[in-house]
Amino acid sequence: MHSLIRKHHHPPPPPKQGDSNLTAAELAATQVVVTTPEKWDIVTRKAGDARSLTKQVKLVIIDEIHLLHDSRGPVLESIVARTLRTVEATQESVRLVGLSATLPNYEDVASFLRVDAKEGLFHFGGEFRPCPLAQQYIGVTVRKPLQRFQLMNDICYDKVS
């Protein structure tokens, strides 16, 4: 079996780290690309060789999808919109997967990703956590920032100790 695998599979190119660009030959031999949203945004905006790479992609996994509401939000939105536009233009499917451990509005994000909520949406509740998570809301009415910060620290310390 090992000889069969060796005969028909070429060794993968060496991994790249940091801000590096792959050659066309390295791209052709690559099966998995792990990148930041910002780098993927740049790659998918380019024409030429980058377009051939984006046409090969069949799965896009966005970790920390809850950052849609953060400074990275516009970049993530751009990546999703560009991917969906490519799917519509080429009629070739690309699976979009959003991951988050802290996403209360997962239905809204699934709708944004155009996920069929009945068949393609998977939500894993607290019962799947390796350790239980408890939430408690405590009102803090102190208005002065430093005093409010100190009070919140004291409350947290009392709760976890």
Side-chain angles (χ1 to χ4, degrees):
M1 182 68 162
H2 290 292
S3 62
L4 181 65
I5 291 172
R6 281 191 208 117
K7 187 186 299 184
H8 295 289
H9 294 294
H10 302 286
K16 298 283 187 173
Q17 293 179 332
D19 193 15
S20 59
N21 293 318
L22 299 174
T23 66
E26 288 172 326
L27 283 175
T30 299
Q31 293 184 7
V32 176
V33 176
V34 178
T35 182
T36 64
E38 291 80 10
K39 179 71 173 184
W40 189 246
D41 184 42
I42 292 167
V43 167
T44 58
R45 287 176 189 257
K46 290 183 178 179
D49 289 340
R51 288 277 182 211
S52 63
L53 170 65
T54 59
K55 289 178 185 174
Q56 294 175 21
V57 171
K58 300 299 176 205
L59 171 66
V60 176
I61 300 173
I62 303 171
D63 193 16
E64 308 292 347
I65 191 77
H66 58 270
L67 293 177
L68 277 167
H69 184 63
D70 204 340
S71 60
R72 283 185 156 175
V75 174
L76 294 175
E77 287 182 33
S78 175
I79 291 168
V80 169
R82 201 172 300 116
T83 302
L84 293 173
R85 189 173 56 239
T86 301
V87 167
E88 290 171 356
T90 63
Q91 296 298 308
E92 293 183 15
S93 65
V94 174
R95 179 175 282 187
L96 285 169
V97 176
L99 304 174
S100 176
T102 60
L103 190 63
N105 62 332
Y106 60 90
E107 289 108 344
D108 295 334
V109 174
S111 175
F112 170 68
L113 295 175
R114 296 189 186 169
V115 172
D116 180 349
K118 293 193 180 7
E119 293 187 20
L121 177 60
F122 300 95
H123 173 259
F124 300 97
E127 66 275 9
F128 290 96
R129 294 185 64 85
C131 57
L133 176 67
Q135 291 182 343
Q136 185 177 13
Y137 296 95
I138 300 170
V140 175
T141 58
V142 176
R143 295 201 183 275
K144 293 183 179 179
L146 290 176
Q147 291 176 352
R148 182 176 61 232
F149 184 71
Q150 182 62 47
L151 178 59
M152 292 187 319
N153 279 342
D154 292 343
I155 292 170
C156 287
Y157 180 79
D158 290 343
K159 291 295 178 183
V160 297
S161 58

